[in-house]
Amino acid sequence: MGQERGGNVFGGDEKIGVLATRRRHRRLMAVSIALVVVLAGAVAAVALVRPWTDEFRHGKLIVAAAPALVESAPRVLPARSNAPAPSPAGIAAALAPVIGNPDLGAFAGQVSDPNSASVLWSAAADTPLVPSSTAKVLTAAAALLTLPVDHRVTTAVVTGAAANELVLVGGGDPTITAEPDGKGYYSNGPRLSDLVAQIRSTARPVDTIVVDTSAYAGPTMASGWDPIDIGDGSIAPIEPVMIDGGRSRPLVRYSSRTTTPALDAGKRLAAELGLDPARVRPGVAPDGAVEIASVRSAPLRERLHDMMVYSDNVLAEAIGREVAVANGGEASFRGGVAAIHAALSAAGFDMSGVDMHDSSGLSVDDRIPARLLDQVVATAAKPNGVTAVQPAGTNAKPEHDRTAATLAPMLDTLPVAGATGSLTDRFVGSDREGAGWVRAKTGTLSVSSALVGYVLDADGRVLTFALMSNDRPPEVSRPALDAIAGTLRNCGCS
């Protein structure tokens, strides 16, 4: 009964409720349709007035107005001229805990303040030691003192003795690249494809390429070099024309090198011209040969940067010979060394104790005192009007400001600790005191490690240094040298 009664009563009310609900739905629908029409009209009106309205374009999210434009003005500021000057006693006290490290082996060093033209600390600084690649500091300095920074080297192709013969004449440039996009190992190196295009434009029939290496004299490997370094990628026989420094993998720093870089360059030129590489041979351009194609190297300043940052031995030897030729000397190991010695001597540097057999520092027979390496960097770093650093008791004549200004660009070629070139993987981890602050030329051989450069100390004073370690493996001595440079960075030693 209850269920039936409930059904009758609630069933009747439900029907009435349904009818009422439908009426309300119709009224709501009518109102909704009217609202939609009104809104649509409003949207259309807004769209006509401002069709790009951010609220609608971005899903009804209000987009804030763009902030005011801020102009970036990055700049490199010079070290403060009024920074507190460190004292010799302060430097000695700071260095005492790190210079006694037995991992340094046979150790020599010098620290100078270029601002006051004074030597702050030294240890066996006149003792000639194996410099390894820090010898490139002297090569770079001699190049800047001898040549304009925009000096270039030319590689030419000339007519041969026979009608169908061309001669590739090496002029001393190992930076030519054959990479398809023209981006080889070296910065802005000349492109082999440009030589090819110039040759083809002559429509000259060619079937033979002669490679002329007579621009260089003497041996192609220096005293104190190990032939194993060719396969290990540190060097190639020094000839006056190469493709990407003779690398078998052009973009790899320590790629194995060819033992015949000039002949290989000729073969690559032949291949690009569609000739048989077997038709390439060594020879000399005939008298009266006519130039039909040529390419030029990047300016000296760019090549010095590549030489220093990446410690490129092949490029260092080429630049050493470039200096020799500019001085009227022989383009050889002997001529390059003589030209470097002459340029630095003429600038007033004390060259006593120097015994170099190459321009790169790869030779284990090289010897340079830390004193000289520090003097060169300190001269480059000295402000105008300050006499160059000269140790007490020497007879070396004072430097002129012109020499300092000439050498100053060398400072920008030095790797940055923990960031660039041969210092990328140093001053990192727990020994990062000098990261970003030390700029220095590295030197590493199995018998030698060295670090030569400059650093801004904790007081904002520029300090230069030359640190040399012999008779210890590099994996042991290099951290010990880095610790000294890091100590100079943290030093407020006034």
Side-chain angles (χ1 to χ4, degrees):
M1 288 291 295
Q3 289 179 353
E4 184 177 343
R5 186 183 58 186
N8 289 339
V9 172
F10 295 115
D13 292 341
E14 184 181 31
K15 185 178 291 186
I16 294 171
V18 169
L19 291 174
T21 300
R22 287 175 178 169
R23 293 190 192 101
R24 287 197 296 272
H25 283 177
R26 291 191 189 99
R27 286 197 297 273
L28 290 172
M29 186 177 295
V31 172
S32 298
I33 292 171
L35 287 173
V36 168
V37 171
V38 172
L39 289 173
V43 170
V46 172
L48 288 173
V49 175
R50 190 182 178 198
W52 58 86
T53 304
D54 292 336
E55 290 87 343
F56 288 93
R57 181 191 294 179
H58 297 289
K60 298 185 179 181
L61 296 176
I62 297 175
V63 179
L69 187 64
V70 176
E71 184 176 351
S72 175
R75 55 182 176 165
V76 177
L77 298 176
R80 293 188 296 119
S81 60
N82 61 347
S87 67
I91 292 287
L95 293 181
V98 289
I99 60 174
N101 190 338
D103 290 343
L104 291 168
F107 174 66
Q110 181 167 296
V111 177
S112 295
D113 175 11
N115 199 61
S116 64
S118 60
V119 175
L120 298 173
W121 172 88
S122 66
D126 287 316
T127 302
L129 294 180
V130 180
S132 50
S133 279
T134 60
K136 293 182 178 71
V137 168
L138 304 190
T139 301
L144 290 170
L145 290 167
T146 304
L147 299 162
V149 293
D150 59 353
H151 190 260
R152 299 172 186 260
V153 178
T154 300
T155 302
V157 174
V158 302
T159 55
N164 294 342
E165 190 174 87
L166 292 179
V167 183
L168 174 64
V169 182
D173 187 5
T175 71
I176 300 170
T177 187
E179 290 300 285
D181 59 0
K183 296 178 180 178
Y185 181 82
Y186 299 100
S187 301
N188 299 315
R191 298 179 297 183
L192 188 69
S193 60
D194 288 343
L195 280 179
V196 172
Q198 293 174 54
I199 293 169
R200 284 177 172 163
S201 69
T202 67
R204 185 184 183 89
V206 182
D207 63 12
T208 301
I209 299 293
V210 175
V211 181
D212 185 345
T213 62
S214 61
Y216 284 179
T220 61
M221 296 285 284
S223 167
W225 284 12
D226 190 336
I228 196 174
D229 287 330
I230 298 174
D232 289 345
S234 292
I235 200 64
I238 304 303
E239 297 178 333
V241 59
M242 300 189 194
I243 303 294
D244 287 305
R247 290 171 171 83
S248 58
R249 291 182 293 168
L251 303 182
V252 177
R253 179 178 174 187
Y254 285 112
S255 164
S256 60
R257 312 290 182 105
T258 173
T259 57
T260 55
L263 201 60
D264 285 357
K267 290 179 178 179
R268 184 61 185 266
L269 175 62
E272 295 295 322
L273 289 168
L275 307 179
D276 183 359
R279 301 280 297 179
V280 176
R281 60 178 176 82
V284 179
D287 292 337
V290 177
E291 180 180 300
I292 64 170
S294 67
V295 291
R296 296 203 302 163
S297 71
L300 175 66
R301 58 178 170 268
E302 294 186 38
R303 290 180 286 126
L304 285 177
H305 179 272
D306 283 358
M307 178 189 82
M308 296 288 273
V309 169
Y310 302 109
S311 201
D312 193 275
N313 296 313
V314 166
L315 197 48
E317 297 303 333
I319 291 173
R321 285 160 173 75
E322 195 174 337
V323 174
V325 171
N327 281 337
E330 181 183 75
S332 63
F333 287 109
R334 186 186 300 273
V337 166
I340 292 168
H341 197 287
L344 294 173
S345 293
F349 291 103
D350 177 8
M351 301 297 289
S352 60
V354 175
D355 183 17
M356 293 175 63
H357 297 264
D358 60 11
S359 301
S360 61
L362 184 64
S363 175
V364 295
D365 296 335
D366 289 344
R367 297 292 184 274
I368 299 174
R371 163 191 45 79
L372 174 60
L373 293 168
D374 180 55
Q375 281 180 339
V376 171
V377 178
T379 300
K382 77 185 184 75
N384 290 335
V386 178
T387 302
V389 172
Q390 298 294 341
T394 66
N395 295 320
K397 61 184 180 181
E399 285 308 291
H400 300 294
D401 290 341
R402 182 178 178 183
T403 299
T406 301
L407 294 181
M410 183 176 64
L411 301 177
D412 289 333
T413 69
L414 299 174
V416 178
T420 62
S422 57
L423 279 181
T424 299
D425 59 352
R426 292 171 66 171
F427 295 90
V428 296
S430 60
D431 299 322
R432 57 183 305 160
E433 289 87 351
W437 296 102
V438 170
R439 295 197 70 166
K441 181 68 198 77
T442 58
T444 304
L445 292 173
S446 60
V447 297
S448 168
S449 292
L451 198 65
V452 177
Y454 68 98
V455 64
L456 202 67
D457 75 5
D459 287 332
R461 191 84 168 192
V462 174
L463 302 178
T464 65
F465 58 84
L467 309 171
M468 306 177 73
S469 167
N470 282 190
D471 305 327
R472 289 291 188 276
E475 59 271 18
V476 170
S477 57
R478 288 197 305 180
L481 295 175
D482 294 352
I484 299 174
T487 298
L488 291 174
R489 161 59 194 160
N490 288 331
C491 186
C493 302
S494 56

